[in-house]
Amino acid sequence: MTRSDAPTPAPLRPSATLLLARDTEAGPQLLMLRRADRGDQNSHAWVFPGGLLDAADRAAHPHCAGLDDVAASERLGLAAGGLDHWVAALRECFEEAGLLLAVEADGGEPDPGELAVLADDWRLALQRGERTLAQLCEALGWRLAVDRLHWIAHWVTPLGMPKRFDARFFLARAPQGQEARHDGSEMVDLRWLGAAEALSGAAGVQVTGPARSLLDQLAGFADVAEMLAWAGQLGPISPIQPRLGRLGPLDPQGGGRLAPIPPQHPAYPEIGRIDPQGAGHALAHIAPGVAVPLSPDRRVLRVTAPNGSVMTGPGTNSYLLRSGGRGPADEAGWAVIDPGPDDPAHVQSLLAAAPGPIRWILVTHTHIDHSPAARALQAATGAQVLGQRPAHPEWQDTAFAPDRPLAGGELLELGPELTLEVIHTPGHAANHLCYRHVQERLLFTGDHVMQGSTVVINPPDGDMAAYLASLRALADRVEGPQGFEWIAPGHGFLIPQPARALELLIRHRRRREAATLAALIRLGSSPLEALLPVVYHDVPPQRHPVAARSLRAHLLHLQGQLRVAEAQGRWHVLP
């Protein structure tokens, strides 16, 4: 979705950063510096030495040892000028910390005392642009030790930030004998810290963004040699570009603190869909009661119930879908998928979020966090309720009674902007339905597919064979005219790449089933209670009672395949 208020992106500025590591008795340490207050987004930040590339960096190419511009550019995927990044990393480290990786004409190390004297004279001149690193090398006959630097990361500042950097990060061993001293202008403090120590906030060091990510990667190494060995074997490095998102607490207008959201964050794909220009209006957390637009022109909205828990994650999602054109009358009306739990506050949130009359209420399944609010919402709106009655009473909203029962394969023409295909997806529940929004190529999956978690399969209503078959049926139709491009789950954010998401779920269930069979072969005839900690060894013990339901579903699936059998509460492998 695009918005007219999105700012023109700030230009990307190439930059380079150098992580210097040294060995100590307590383990490897990294040099970190604190930026001065410059009134910008990086003021007071704890960072590694680094900064912008300079036009004069190219003049130092003839003074570089072990790497030329052709090889450096090829490594970075650039047509030319790649070596500028290595030079800039060394120059910025010298300017900000007084440390320089260089060799003398005979290959020896520069005298640390001589370098300390030179640093006082040269660092400020370099910062002011009065001298260049090439002139330093020419005057002393030194060569820059660029061959000691390993390229380890590439980060791009999010769209929407006032200053944006295209930053390459390098790792090297700190030069021996040289003493680090911050410059007192750009940098006002300095620490040598272990990666885990810096992440913990020791000595008042607070790190964010790329620095935190890199420290996470380097925290497990025993010494600098291990770090460099890891860096030396890295394959192709892809750029990492966070996206701007808003974190809580929210203000009454749904605002919150604006922050870079990294690719591994669960909200990252959704932010890219609803705020591709980096205007900064996308939420990076699930906020109960807040109407979140998920499509252009606010045609699809999400409102999450305030029922977050171990079983429901951040809460149960309800979706509002516009059926026709916009306008004060909006005669075509709105549909709600999964009205949620019997919670008056949530019902009021849905009524407040709908820009027009709610005419239809559709239910994916009748677990008590998805369907009970249908009655209150229908009483308030007169909307038609559609779905399937529960097939089993356990954990179900047994009072659910649709005005019109739905069957898989139906096509609901609810308006010019809203056609929903009903897809029967038993497995998590026998009456589970998914709804494909034809115009949006969006699949509403209830609990069939959830973000960041696998669903519980609880027999007898839950059926592992049916669940796997339903997943496979969806995976087989992702592409093509009857396919979909995004998944809107009952819990969590939008899920991209649905084919990959479905295949991962199928693979996970197959692996769990293989682990169940392997445990039975190893342990012999065993009750479910004995198998549970073996098969679900990666699940915290407090979650084992829930996991036991899915384990039973796996055993019943294997039993249906005539691979295992049960006798007097004990399971065994069939010959």
Side-chain angles (χ1 to χ4, degrees):
M1 180 176 65
T2 61
R3 283 182 37 153
S4 59
D5 60 345
T8 301
L12 281 175
R13 299 191 287 176
S15 65
T17 296
L18 180 57
L19 283 69
L20 286 181
R22 70 179 187 183
D23 284 316
T24 71
E25 291 184 1
Q29 292 181 331
L30 295 155
L31 177 64
M32 301 204 71
L33 304 165
R34 184 165 66 88
R35 289 194 179 278
D37 184 359
R38 296 295 179 89
D40 62 16
Q41 65 205 49
N42 295 318
S43 293
H44 304 298
W46 281 90
V47 297
F48 306 111
L52 297 174
L53 273 60
D54 190 282
D57 291 330
R58 192 153 302 187
H61 287 191
H63 305 286
C64 292
L67 185 66
D68 61 21
D69 188 59
V70 173
S73 299
E74 182 179 358
R75 196 173 298 178
L76 298 186
L78 301 174
L83 192 56
D84 295 0
H85 294 78
W86 273 260
V87 174
L90 293 178
R91 173 181 53 75
E92 288 286 342
C93 185
F94 182 54
E95 291 178 9
E96 295 175 351
L99 302 178
L100 181 64
L101 274 71
V103 293
E104 295 181 324
D106 60 2
E109 296 292 322
D111 177 72
E114 180 185 5
L115 185 58
V117 173
L118 287 168
D120 292 337
D121 184 32
W122 279 84
R123 288 167 68 185
L124 185 58
L126 286 172
Q127 286 179 335
R128 291 175 174 174
E130 299 168 353
R131 297 180 182 178
T132 68
L133 203 54
Q135 291 172 335
L136 172 63
C137 292
E138 289 167 359
L140 301 175
W142 290 356
R143 290 171 63 78
L144 300 175
V146 295
D147 54 349
R148 300 181 189 176
L149 274 61
H150 297 274
W151 180 36
I152 60 170
H154 181 187
W155 283 73
V156 179
T157 306
L159 291 168
M161 295 294 281
K163 292 183 180 180
R164 300 186 64 226
F165 303 94
D166 186 4
R168 264 81 174 194
F169 290 79
F170 299 86
L171 174 69
R173 185 186 293 275
Q176 291 189 357
Q178 297 184 31
E179 181 184 356
R181 294 178 296 163
H182 64 77
D183 61 8
S185 56
E186 288 190 31
M187 302 295 170
V188 294
D189 202 353
L190 176 153
R191 298 279 193 279
W192 286 96
L193 295 169
E197 193 179 9
L199 288 168
S200 72
V205 173
Q206 299 297 322
V207 294
T208 59
R212 174 166 289 277
S213 176
L214 290 165
L215 288 166
D216 275 332
Q217 291 179 281
L218 297 173
F221 293 108
D223 53 34
V224 176
E226 276 193 9
M227 285 186 182
L228 297 177
W230 162 78
Q233 55 81 42
L234 287 176
I237 294 174
S238 299
I240 300 169
Q241 182 172 346
R243 292 167 174 160
L244 285 183
R246 294 196 174 274
L247 298 168
L250 297 177
D251 61 31
Q253 284 72 45
R257 178 173 59 87
L258 198 61
I261 305 302
Q264 65 270 24
H265 192 284
Y268 184 82
E270 179 175 299
I271 292 173
R273 173 185 164 97
I274 67 179
D275 186 17
Q277 296 178 329
H281 57 75
L283 296 184
H285 66 299
I286 299 292
V290 175
V292 178
L294 298 177
S295 69
D297 207 20
R298 298 177 68 89
R299 186 160 60 184
V300 178
L301 307 174
R302 181 183 64 225
V303 179
T304 303
N307 64 330
S309 70
V310 171
M311 294 298 294
T312 60
T316 302
N317 292 332
S318 299
Y319 294 95
L320 294 98
L321 320 177
R322 191 175 73 236
S323 66
R326 299 182 71 182
D330 196 3
E331 291 299 327
W334 288 70
V336 172
I337 292 180
D338 279 349
D342 185 11
D343 183 315
H346 181 58
V347 172
Q348 287 303 312
S349 293
L350 292 174
L351 293 170
I358 295 173
R359 301 190 185 283
W360 305 274
I361 300 168
L362 300 99
V363 168
T364 60
H365 64 298
T366 50
H367 284 164
I368 58 175
D369 62 318
H370 285 262
S371 65
R375 291 179 285 281
L377 192 60
Q378 184 183 44
T381 64
Q384 183 184 31
V385 177
L386 303 96
Q388 287 192 3
R389 291 178 180 272
H392 299 275
E394 188 178 21
W395 309 108
Q396 298 282 353
D397 173 18
T398 55
F400 179 76
D403 298 317
R404 180 186 160 195
L406 295 178
E410 291 189 63
L411 207 60
L412 305 176
E413 300 278 0
L414 303 183
E417 292 191 358
L418 182 56
T419 303
L420 293 176
E421 180 190 4
V422 183
I423 306 172
H424 186 210
T425 50
H428 174 63
N431 67 340
H432 198 291
L433 302 170
C434 290
Y435 299 97
R436 181 176 69 93
H437 193 311
V438 174
Q439 289 83 359
E440 286 286 326
R441 292 184 63 81
L442 185 64
L443 185 71
F444 299 92
T445 58
D447 281 355
H448 191 63
V449 179
M450 301 194 302
Q451 191 205 44
S453 177
T454 54
V455 68
V456 175
I457 308 299
N458 184 35
D461 192 39
D463 184 301
M464 190 63 70
Y467 182 63
L468 288 168
S470 296
L471 288 175
R472 173 51 58 199
L474 288 179
D476 289 345
R477 59 172 294 169
V478 167
E479 305 296 337
Q482 292 186 317
F484 45 94
E485 297 172 354
W486 289 81
I487 289 172
H491 307 273
F493 297 93
L494 292 180
I495 302 171
Q497 301 177 296
R500 178 178 180 272
L502 291 163
E503 290 294 344
L504 286 174
L505 279 176
I506 293 169
R507 212 176 306 160
H508 170 78
R509 292 298 184 180
R510 295 296 187 195
R511 282 197 300 264
R512 192 72 79 185
E513 200 150 277
T516 302
L517 198 58
L520 272 176
I521 293 171
R522 181 156 55 91
L523 298 176
S525 177
S526 304
L528 183 147
E529 294 74 18
L531 295 170
L532 186 60
V534 178
V535 177
Y536 286 84
H537 62 88
D538 55 335
V539 174
Q542 60 267 31
R543 300 288 302 275
H544 280 186
V546 175
R549 305 176 196 172
S550 290
L551 177 55
R552 179 166 179 77
H554 277 300
L555 287 166
L556 291 171
H557 186 212
L558 290 167
Q559 185 181 47
Q561 297 172 319
L562 302 180
R563 302 175 74 183
V564 305
E566 181 186 17
Q568 298 180 336
R570 301 178 71 88
W571 293 88
H572 61 274
V573 176
L574 289 174

